[in-house]
Amino acid sequence: MGSFIKKNGLLYSEDSKIVLGVDDTSTDFTGRVPYGAHKIDDDVFSNCPYESISLPDSVTELGNCLFENSKALETVKLPANITELPPYLFSGCSALSKVTMPNTLSGFPEGLFKNCESMPEIPFRAGIKVLAESVFEGCSSLKALVIPNTVTRIESKAVANCTSLESVVFPSMLEYIAPDAFEGCTSIHNIRIDGEGGLFYVGENDGCLYEAADEGDKIVVQAYSVNAQPVSFFTENVDEVPVMIADEDDLEEDDTFSSEIGAGDEEFDIEKDTTVKGDSKNMEDNAVDSMLADILGEEKERSSISEGVGISEQESEIISETMSVMSESNQSAGLGITDTELEKLFEKNEEEELASQKNLDDPEVLDSKLQILTDSVEKSTIIECTPTGELAEDPELYVVAEKLAPDELGNDNFSRKLVACCKTFARIQDYKKIILLYGLPLDNDEFTPFFRSFISKKNVLLACEAESPSKLSDYGKKVCELARISLKKDDLAEQRRSASIKTKALVKLVIRDKYE
């Protein structure tokens, strides 16, 4: 190994730029490599006993076989500035379930996640063109795979022996699939192609994926008949499937969003809200969202034919509730906190996870993550609700507002009509909490993967000014991508239905707010 120095439970080169290994004589290393190192050498964490490892953003080069066969490893944070990953980086990490990937990757190398038996989904990055050989081979917990539209080739055994894989969405521009690419995937029964006009198509009778060829069409991915219910790509099991944003050409001008905030005639009463940032102020308004009345009307009609689904007459008073919103002025057009403060927040989050060794679904861990989320944005409000029926399986609604609206004091706050709309959803679905967010720092490399991981399995509503998906801003599209909100025509209709009746499915909704 040559000359080295010891610090922080690690072995470094003499200039402290290269991590050469773990110091077996020390117990100081807890899984977090301190900022400053530029390279992690080969095999440093292979066969390691750690459950979580975090690499600093100062690192720009990773050695070969870095985490290979680390059976206890569950979570890894990679540096934000890495552009290339070595082959078989996580091969044999059978307990690995979460990887925070950099956004700058040019592709996934051969064998990257081979035999990562606990990976529930793949953290794809934009621009990937090839699914390399054995890249996901043996990912036996993977149930659904939405292959990015940029992928043109799927190489040998790329997705082989993913025995739990049920649903696959292929890109229309795909040019090549190796004959054994999906070998051993005996649970696939739901195949789709995102788009038209490519070399491949799904058979109407058997659901298999075919390749059109001059010498005769042939099956390249077999679909199997099983007793399990098919995985829905966008609504029923949205917490399991990474939904991709449609290309601009796929977003038709007349595909309006599932609801729009309008105007009406009734008055709002007073109700108390709990605010995370800023002071609360009760105020009255004689405008009522016409969409709310539509939802309530549909709900009453359903209640006459579906026991336990409809709402009571008393619940129709929702459209007379208060619109208490924050009165604090918006102090900044940029981030609510600086990049340095954000980095400290996420360092604290990782340290707490490493120290506690708690399940990520533990209430205390979730509360801590919610606090980090609300601290990271420019403005946030939490509204406590009082459910009258059985709590929803996920009893919180997260609302991302693209803009704020002036209140009676001239301060920028969440639109009062948006608040009323959210309260309606909360009452119908029996949510206990509404979390309103504005100013997400989506350009921050630490925040984006944190937000994606946290929000993808939550009920999410995006409020924006766009009239249709094709007019949605880049910011709005990014929120939809991270939150897994589908922007396709059929799914917009399903969003309306899911929001207006009580359902076990996660609500993933886009509404139009004119911010008046």
Side-chain angles (χ1 to χ4, degrees):
M1 183 180 292
S3 300
F4 61 86
I5 59 176
K6 296 182 178 182
K7 62 179 180 179
N8 305 313
L10 297 169
L11 305 178
Y12 288 83
S13 59
E14 290 184 321
D15 60 1
S16 296
K17 299 300 184 183
I18 304 175
V19 177
L20 302 173
V22 178
D23 183 1
D24 294 335
T25 65
S26 171
T27 58
D28 290 345
F29 182 64
T30 59
R32 182 179 180 84
V33 178
Y35 192 90
H38 292 178
K39 177 183 177 180
I40 312 294
D41 212 359
D42 297 349
D43 301 305
V44 167
F45 299 115
S46 62
N47 294 288
C48 77
Y50 306 103
E51 294 183 4
S52 182
I53 292 179
S54 176
L55 304 182
D57 291 345
S58 59
V59 171
T60 57
E61 184 178 352
L62 302 179
N64 295 321
C65 306
L66 185 57
F67 302 103
E68 189 174 25
N69 293 323
S70 293
K71 306 296 184 183
L73 191 61
E74 297 178 3
T75 62
V76 173
K77 175 194 172 294
L78 295 178
N81 299 316
I82 288 289
T83 59
E84 186 175 353
L85 301 178
Y88 297 93
L89 180 64
F90 300 108
S91 177
C93 296
S94 54
L96 187 67
S97 61
K98 178 184 176 183
V99 178
T100 301
M101 285 282 188
N103 293 322
T104 51
L105 289 180
S106 57
F108 282 177
E110 178 180 335
L112 178 64
F113 291 109
K114 184 176 181 179
N115 294 328
C116 291
E117 300 171 357
S118 300
M119 285 291 291
E121 60 184 36
I122 302 301
F124 281 118
R125 284 296 176 264
I128 292 176
K129 297 180 179 179
V130 177
L131 297 192
E133 185 174 340
S134 299
V135 63
F136 308 137
E137 181 180 358
C139 291
S140 54
S141 292
L142 189 65
K143 291 186 177 181
L145 187 65
V146 179
I147 301 172
N149 288 327
T150 52
V151 171
T152 59
R153 294 182 62 87
I154 302 178
E155 303 292 352
S156 176
K157 294 187 181 296
V159 198
N161 299 317
C162 293
T163 52
S164 296
L165 185 62
E166 299 178 1
S167 302
V168 186
V169 177
F170 291 92
S172 60
M173 300 305 293
L174 199 59
E175 298 174 357
Y176 172 76
I177 302 178
D180 59 351
F182 288 82
E183 182 181 85
C185 297
T186 54
S187 296
I188 294 178
H189 60 273
N190 195 353
I191 297 175
R192 282 182 51 182
I193 297 177
D194 186 13
E196 299 178 355
L199 299 176
F200 301 89
Y201 66 92
V202 178
E204 294 183 2
N205 297 325
D206 57 13
C208 298
L209 186 71
Y210 285 81
E211 180 181 2
D214 294 339
E215 62 273 17
D217 296 358
K218 60 181 180 179
I219 295 175
V220 289
V221 179
Q222 178 74 46
Y224 299 85
S225 298
V226 295
N227 294 327
Q229 291 294 323
V231 174
S232 172
F233 285 98
F234 302 106
T235 51
E236 295 175 4
N237 293 316
V238 69
D239 57 325
E240 296 178 358
V241 186
V243 174
M244 304 299 293
I245 297 297
D247 290 338
E248 192 74 17
D249 293 340
D250 296 331
L251 305 180
E252 300 178 17
E253 291 291 332
D254 58 351
D255 282 350
T256 55
F257 290 126
S258 54
S259 51
E260 176 179 330
I261 294 181
D265 305 315
E266 298 192 24
E267 230 177 55
F268 297 98
D269 298 327
I270 295 177
E271 176 180 315
K272 184 179 181 181
D273 296 341
T274 303
T275 303
V276 173
K277 291 184 180 179
D279 299 325
S280 295
K281 178 175 177 60
N282 292 326
M283 54 188 70
E284 294 184 353
D285 183 39
N286 30 349
V288 173
D289 187 345
S290 61
M291 183 209 57
L292 303 185
D294 292 341
I295 289 178
L296 289 171
E298 292 176 8
E299 190 67 17
K300 289 178 183 178
E301 182 178 349
R302 286 186 180 90
S303 68
S304 64
I305 57 174
S306 178
E307 183 179 356
V309 174
I311 62 173
S312 67
E313 290 295 330
Q314 290 181 340
E315 285 180 301
S316 66
E317 296 176 3
I318 295 170
I319 58 175
S320 296
E321 287 189 353
T322 185
M323 289 192 254
S324 296
V325 293
M326 297 168 21
S327 58
E328 179 187 10
S329 296
N330 185 17
Q331 299 294 327
S332 172
L335 294 180
I337 58 177
T338 65
D339 286 339
T340 301
E341 289 172 322
L342 275 173
E343 183 177 349
K344 290 179 180 179
L345 274 177
F346 297 118
E347 284 181 0
K348 180 175 181 293
N349 175 54
E350 291 173 2
E351 289 170 359
E352 288 176 350
E353 287 186 7
L354 287 169
S356 66
Q357 301 289 310
K358 288 182 179 178
N359 187 300
L360 296 182
D361 292 328
D362 186 285
E364 292 184 16
V365 175
L366 291 175
D367 286 345
S368 174
K369 290 181 178 294
L370 173 58
Q371 187 64 54
I372 290 173
L373 177 60
T374 54
D375 284 347
S376 299
V377 301
E378 288 188 41
K379 193 177 286 290
S380 61
T381 294
I382 293 181
I383 300 175
E384 300 288 349
C385 306
T386 306
T388 57
E390 182 180 353
L391 277 180
E393 290 189 7
D394 191 285
E396 297 177 344
L397 174 65
Y398 288 79
V399 183
V400 179
E402 190 167 19
K403 291 182 62 177
L404 298 175
D407 60 21
E408 291 181 349
L409 300 178
N411 298 321
D412 289 332
N413 292 306
F414 295 101
S415 160
R416 293 174 299 184
K417 295 173 185 176
L418 174 60
V419 173
C421 174
C422 295
K423 287 180 179 179
T424 298
F425 293 152
R427 182 64 62 88
I428 292 173
Q429 302 290 348
D430 283 310
Y431 297 143
K432 66 179 182 180
K433 190 177 292 185
I434 302 169
I435 300 95
L436 295 109
L437 306 167
Y438 167 75
L440 307 179
L442 297 184
D443 56 348
N444 182 277
D445 291 336
E446 293 280 349
F447 178 82
T448 302
F450 166 82
F451 181 69
R452 182 197 299 272
S453 172
F454 182 83
I455 209 70
S456 62
K457 296 183 179 180
K458 302 292 183 182
N459 301 293
V460 188
L461 185 155
L462 169 67
C464 60
E465 283 187 304
E467 298 176 355
S468 65
S470 63
K471 296 181 180 179
L472 198 62
S473 67
D474 290 341
Y475 175 87
K477 290 178 181 178
K478 185 66 174 178
V479 171
C480 289
E481 177 188 359
L482 297 174
R484 296 176 181 170
I485 300 175
S486 170
L487 295 177
K488 296 199 173 185
K489 184 175 182 179
D490 292 343
D491 304 312
L492 295 177
E494 180 65 17
Q495 287 171 347
R496 180 193 292 118
R497 188 198 69 82
S498 295
S500 60
I501 63 173
K502 187 168 183 179
T503 174
K504 291 185 177 180
L506 288 176
V507 171
K508 302 284 187 176
L509 187 66
V510 181
I511 67 171
R512 186 184 181 206
D513 189 348
K514 296 180 180 178
Y515 298 101
E516 296 173 344

